[in-house]
Amino acid sequence: MAAVPETIEAEIIEIDGAPPPERLPQSGAERAGPDWSAWKTRVLTLDRRWWPLWVLLGILLLGVFLVLGVVAGLALIAFRLVRGIVRFLTGGDSAGRRGAIQRFQS
């Protein structure tokens, strides 16, 4: 078993009336907490190393919006075609317009 030293050295500070310990000036990198005033500029400016990722994500997002727009346009065209065919087959298109014209003229 290792030999344990018999003397213990300790620094005792008086609680009441003792001067506070001296603080050494710290640089910005050695601070304990984050500098919250710099967060605004960190959020508004993007890191240059990540620009390829942002470009790729922007292109993908633009592609998704374009695809959704084309799908919505095709769905609208299909809906209007089906509605027109149903109105033609049921004869509701001509009767509705005649009635509206007659009501407008009277």
Side-chain angles (χ1 to χ4, degrees):
M1 194 167 191
V4 179
E6 294 182 16
T7 59
I8 298 175
E9 294 183 19
E11 182 179 342
I12 300 174
I13 299 176
E14 183 181 337
I15 294 175
D16 294 330
E22 293 183 25
R23 290 189 145 187
L24 299 175
Q26 296 177 345
S27 67
E30 296 176 359
R31 290 185 189 163
D35 185 13
W36 295 106
S37 62
W39 275 74
K40 183 178 180 182
T41 57
R42 288 182 188 171
V43 171
L44 294 178
T45 58
L46 299 175
D47 192 358
R48 290 182 184 184
R49 295 174 292 177
W50 291 94
W51 73 267
L53 176 67
W54 297 118
V55 169
L56 180 64
L57 289 176
I59 291 171
L60 288 175
L61 189 63
L62 179 65
V64 167
F65 282 144
L66 289 175
V67 167
L68 288 177
V70 168
V71 168
L74 290 175
L76 182 64
I77 290 171
F79 173 74
R80 288 188 178 191
L81 281 174
V82 169
R83 186 178 68 174
I85 291 171
V86 169
R87 281 188 175 181
F88 177 74
L89 293 177
T90 59
D93 190 30
S94 61
R97 287 188 181 169
R98 284 187 199 139
I101 292 173
Q102 289 174 356
R103 280 180 288 204
F104 181 71
Q105 289 176 351
S106 60

